[in-house]
């Protein structure tokens, strides 16, 4: 993706707002992993290098837009105008940007054949090669907490962000009752993948979405510059 470096800069600046113990170790893992290079999917949305990074930022934009910002800097998730949950800016960043960290060490590339104008040609495509087979939302929670402790609202929202695609609908329903932010994150994830994203990039209306949202926040230079080394899968 042409804007991948800008997306890296923004991801780094947003995560620089997180001050929790262990975030430095988590960021070191992210920089060494394929988080900034992986696709978001093999063929459904943002199936391109850097797609996972773009998707994570899209979910952050969608989630912020779905919340009401309060005078004290917190955010409220409202249902019919009534607050159902209140979270901090840090909660929002963590839930959105890290919900799909489970997709690191998940994809590979392979050579396939296709017929174009009556002639066969080879092309490179993404395929699944899950090096950490531990589920989806639960794997994201596990990977984050190898380095940084999550708060309950973050843990539950990330664990259940796939919504009713989960087989255990009883537990999912019970979890929503305890933590309505699960539905807020699930909705933002769905909005991003269905409305904001095409296969090879954001749809035109969202092409520059959020690019200036962190202008008054720490820049990449003020944070620790990314070091791209190979990390060991959790």
């Amino acid at each position: 993706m042409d804007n991948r470096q800008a997306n890296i800069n923004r991801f780094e600046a947003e995560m620089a707002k997180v001050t929790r113990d262990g975030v430095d170790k988590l960021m070191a893992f992210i920089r060494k992993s394929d988080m900034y290079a992986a696709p978001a999917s093999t063929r459904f949305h943002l199936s391109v290098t850097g797609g996972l990074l773009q998707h994570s930022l899209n979910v952050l934009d969608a989630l912020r837009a779905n919340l009401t910002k309060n005078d004290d800097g917190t955010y409220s998730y409202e249902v019919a105008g009534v607050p159902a949950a209140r979270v901090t800016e840090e909660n929002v960043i963590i839930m959105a940007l890290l919900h799909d960290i489970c997709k690191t060490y998940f994809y590979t590339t392979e050579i396939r054949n296709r017929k174009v104008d009556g002639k066969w040609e080879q092309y490179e495509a993404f395929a699944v090669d899950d090096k950490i087979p531990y589920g989806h939302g639960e794997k994201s929670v596990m990977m984050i907490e190898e380095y940084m402790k999550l708060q309950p609202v973050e843990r539950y929202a990330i664990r259940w962000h796939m919504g009713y695609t989960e087989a255990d609908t009883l537990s999912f329903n019970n979890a929503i009752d305890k933590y309505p932010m699960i539905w807020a994150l699930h909705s933002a994830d769905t909005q991003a993948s269905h409305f904001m994203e095409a296969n090879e990039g954001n749809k035109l209306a969202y092409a520059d979405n959020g690019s200036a949202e962190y202008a008054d926040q720490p820049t990449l230079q003020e944070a620790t510059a990314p070091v791209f080394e190979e990390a060991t899968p959790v």
Side-chain angles (χ1 to χ4, degrees), residues 54-86:
Q54 181 69 73
H55 173 69
S56 302
L57 292 169
N58 288 343
V59 173
L60 178 60
D61 289 334
L63 182 57
R64 278 182 175 148
N66 290 344
L67 303 176
T68 299
K69 192 165 186 178
N70 303 307
D71 291 340
D72 62 359
T74 63
Y75 289 84
S76 291
Y77 175 50
E78 297 182 351
V79 178
V82 177
R86 180 176 290 226

Side-chain angles (χ1 to χ4, degrees), residues 159-221:
R159 164 63 185 90
W160 293 105
H161 76 265
M162 291 297 289
Y164 283 105
T165 61
E166 295 280 357
D168 189 357
T169 56
L170 177 60
S171 293
F172 175 62
N173 284 330
N174 290 338
I176 292 175
D177 291 339
K178 286 174 64 69
Y179 296 102
M181 282 302 298
I182 293 171
W183 196 254
L185 181 60
H186 170 62
S187 297
D189 188 25
T190 302
Q191 289 166 350
S193 60
H194 283 265
F195 305 134
M196 299 174 70
E197 301 164 4
N199 278 351
E200 297 188 0
N202 277 2
K203 295 177 181 177
L204 184 59
Y206 304 97
D208 298 317
N209 198 56
S211 60
E213 289 296 318
Y214 67 104
D216 60 345
Q217 302 298 333
T219 65
L220 181 62
Q221 287 72 34

Side-chain angles (χ1 to χ4, degrees), residues 140-155:
S140 286
V141 170
M142 181 269 289
M143 293 176 72
I144 296 165
E145 292 202 316
E146 287 285 324
Y147 305 98
M148 182 184 76
K149 187 75 170 176
L150 292 170
Q151 294 180 4
V153 65
E154 299 161 352
R155 187 180 301 117

Side-chain angles (χ1 to χ4, degrees), residues 11 15 25-27 29-31 33-35 38 52 55-56 94-107 130 132 135-148 150 158 161 234:
F11 186 97
M15 286 300 299
K25 296 180 176 64
L26 176 62
M27 288 304 298
F29 170 79
I30 286 173
R31 291 167 186 148
S33 76
D34 62 344
M35 177 82 180
L52 176 58
H55 173 69
S56 302
I94 289 170
M95 287 185 291
L97 292 188
L98 302 179
H99 77 285
D100 266 353
I101 196 174
C102 58
K103 291 183 178 180
T104 59
Y105 299 111
F106 186 74
Y107 297 106
D130 190 357
I132 313 172
H136 190 80
E138 62 268 39
K139 181 164 74 171
S140 286
V141 170
M142 181 269 289
M143 293 176 72
I144 296 165
E145 292 202 316
E146 287 285 324
Y147 305 98
M148 182 184 76
L150 292 170
I158 292 171
H161 76 265
V234 175

